[in-house]
Amino acid sequence: MNTFKIDIIPCLNDNYSYILSIDKDALVIDPAEVGPIINFLEKNNLNLKYILNTHHHFDHVGGNLELKKKYKALIAGSERDKERIPGIDIFLNEDEKFYFNQYEFEIINVPGHTSECIAYYIKSENAIFTGDAVFSLGCGRLFEGSPKQMWHSICKIKSLPDNTLIYCGHEYTASNAKFVQSINDNEQIKLKIIRIKELREKNIPTIPTTIAEEKELNIFFQADQDNIKDLLSNRNISDEEAFTRIRSAKDAF
Ligand code: ZN
Ligand code: FE
């Protein structure tokens, strides 16, 4: 068989953890809590081998130690964040690869939300796991990094193929859409808001999104566009200045 599967596991209020499996081997990305993860593993008879973290926040590492103990799983995260990732065993750096059986995960540094956020990119599956660096229609709050760092992180993500699926750390799409609309109201965002509402009423995740869709709708991805700069100020401001203004407006929204 050898099929690669990605399952979305809702945790806490609005977090998403992800269970990736190849036949009976599994890994979890950002276990926010243990209950829903253990339920899924047991229901599907999966053997947890690895825990991967995108950053150190509690709502992404909350299940680390208990899952490590129960399954004897190994924990991987950014080497630069080894003091803050509970139970870390495998130290990853930018451009290094992590292997899950024959599947290759590329490590991309995406600082901004925290200074050491990383994303996991699986080229063969057209998928990237971004944690709280970017969300559908949004990006993470800047707790540790600068707007300049975050804009550069977004540019790295934006440069991936359009059909790349983005799996992010939270279901924030509905509130992010309202913010986008407050600055750049148009037909596409109106339609998107209707689609989001339909999904959320049935409790279906709006995730994954794609690079193409984020380029089209996510205002944080559009800080280099003249039409967006005009809405914020005028088209002569730099991309970084435009991004800074969008981020501050979101923080106050
Ligand atoms: Zn976070
Ligand atoms: Fe988070």
Side-chain angles (χ1 to χ4, degrees):
M1 274 223 324
N2 239 321
T3 38
F4 188 97
K5 246 178 106 241
I6 298 172
D7 284 284
I8 304 181
I9 315 293
C11 289
L12 304 176
N13 264 342
D14 51 30
N15 273 81
Y16 288 134
S17 299
Y18 297 99
I19 292 181
L20 280 47
S21 55
I22 305 168
D23 302 331
K24 291 297 167 198
D25 290 343
L27 70 74
V28 60
I29 297 183
D30 283 354
E33 56 177 334
V34 292
I37 308 294
I38 293 177
N39 281 346
F40 186 90
L41 292 171
E42 291 190 346
K43 212 171 107 196
N44 294 282
N45 252 312
L46 295 170
N47 178 15
L48 187 70
K49 299 219 146 170
Y50 299 104
I51 297 161
L52 269 52
N53 295 129
T54 60
H55 66 296
H56 75 285
H57 284 158
F58 180 76
D59 60 318
H60 299 259
V61 303
N64 272 24
L65 296 180
E66 208 175 318
L67 291 170
K68 175 175 176 165
K69 194 167 164 206
K70 185 172 167 73
Y71 294 95
K72 309 214 177 340
L74 294 174
I75 298 176
S78 170
E79 163 141 56
R80 291 148 53 117
D81 228 1
K82 62 184 177 200
E83 308 299 333
R84 301 196 292 186
I85 304 273
I88 188 166
D89 300 291
I90 301 170
F91 307 104
L92 302 170
N93 287 292
E94 181 151 60
D95 297 330
E96 280 178 8
K97 315 280 193 238
F98 172 86
Y99 289 93
F100 178 37
N101 295 1
Q102 76 272 36
Y103 290 85
E104 186 179 278
F105 294 40
E106 207 174 300
I107 313 305
I108 305 176
N109 283 349
V110 286
H113 175 66
T114 72
S115 55
E116 312 304 342
C117 282
I118 58 173
Y120 296 92
Y121 176 47
I122 313 165
K123 200 175 186 175
S124 66
E125 304 307 301
N126 269 326
I128 185 166
F129 294 83
T130 60
D132 293 351
V134 301
F135 301 118
S136 177
L137 306 183
C139 76
R141 260 178 204 275
L142 303 179
F143 287 114
E144 296 174 6
S146 64
K148 182 177 170 170
Q149 270 183 323
M150 183 58 111
W151 171 243
H152 287 139
S153 296
I154 289 175
C155 288
K156 282 186 189 172
I157 293 170
K158 248 185 13 155
S159 71
L160 297 173
D162 272 350
N163 63 351
T164 307
L165 299 164
I166 303 176
Y167 294 88
C168 59
H170 291 267
E171 178 63 60
Y172 288 158
T173 318
S175 56
N176 287 341
K178 288 198 187 106
F179 171 70
V180 169
Q181 192 178 35
S182 74
I183 300 188
N184 186 18
D185 197 7
N186 57 48
E187 241 0 82
Q188 288 155 300
I189 192 70
K190 283 195 181 85
L191 289 172
K192 177 71 179 175
I193 287 172
I194 293 167
R195 288 208 305 277
I196 296 166
K197 196 160 170 262
E198 284 168 357
L199 291 169
R200 296 309 297 148
E201 274 171 2
K202 293 179 214 146
N203 222 2
I204 300 171
T206 60
I207 306 307
T209 178
T210 62
I211 299 287
E213 180 154 1
E214 295 310 307
K215 281 189 192 165
E216 190 181 312
L217 289 170
N218 186 338
I219 193 161
F220 293 96
F221 278 52
Q222 298 168 337
D224 52 356
Q225 291 181 16
D226 284 346
N227 65 318
I228 297 299
K229 289 180 182 178
D230 286 343
L231 290 171
L232 299 164
S233 162
N234 69 75
R235 65 185 54 196
N236 297 319
I237 60 173
S238 68
D239 301 350
E240 280 157 21
E241 174 59 23
F243 180 81
T244 304
R245 286 179 188 232
I246 299 165
R247 192 55 255 176
S248 320
K250 177 68 166 71
D251 290 341
F253 186 70

